[in-house]
Amino acid sequence: MDIRRIAEEERLSGAVISGGFIFLAGQVADDPSLDAEGQTADILAQIDTLLEDAGTDKRALLSVQIILADINDAPAMNRAWDAWLDRSAKPARMTIQAALVNPQWKVEITGIARAP
């Protein structure tokens, strides 16, 4: 079975490519002191990098899951999302509220993209 791992860390890979798909790990902001809009923009830039390393871009995203520590941050998150989104290639998306591992994290994003 052909499996390629990108951005491997101690406990996980930032992305795994297999079976024609790219599976993104939950991405969180490098700077947790940012507000929800800033954290979202940071995460989306990380996703851009992971997809570029996989040989594609955000237009290949099929599905995205966004976890907010506080659902009241949805408007701020959506501002960053809307600025980043390619409106000709919108993925399926869900947004939920849940506790995140680090209390400073306001946003975590994961998703699945089509591999090139």
Side-chain angles (χ1 to χ4, degrees):
M1 179 180 297
D2 186 33
I3 299 174
R4 181 174 159 221
R5 300 174 199 291
I6 298 173
E8 290 186 66
E9 299 176 12
E10 181 181 352
R11 292 188 177 93
L12 58 91
S13 295
V16 175
I17 304 169
S18 183
F21 296 98
I22 304 163
F23 301 91
L24 299 174
Q27 303 298 311
V28 294
D30 289 330
D31 181 356
S33 71
L34 296 170
D35 64 9
E37 185 173 354
Q39 287 193 23
T40 302
D42 179 311
I43 294 164
L44 295 172
Q46 292 176 49
I47 289 172
D48 282 337
T49 299
L50 287 167
L51 292 173
E52 182 179 324
D53 291 349
T56 192
D57 61 33
K58 63 187 165 191
R59 293 172 297 172
L61 282 167
L62 302 172
S63 177
V64 173
Q65 298 79 41
I66 301 173
I67 300 93
L68 297 174
D70 182 347
I71 202 69
N72 292 311
D73 283 332
M77 176 274 298
N78 277 325
R79 282 192 296 275
W81 175 268
D82 291 344
W84 173 83
L85 182 64
D86 180 332
R87 298 216 175 261
S88 69
K90 297 176 281 224
R93 190 186 105 171
M94 66 162 252
T95 304
I96 62 167
Q97 175 178 300
L100 300 177
V101 172
N102 180 334
Q104 290 185 295
W105 293 336
K106 298 177 181 337
V107 182
E108 185 167 356
I109 301 176
T110 185
I112 300 170
R114 184 82 174 130

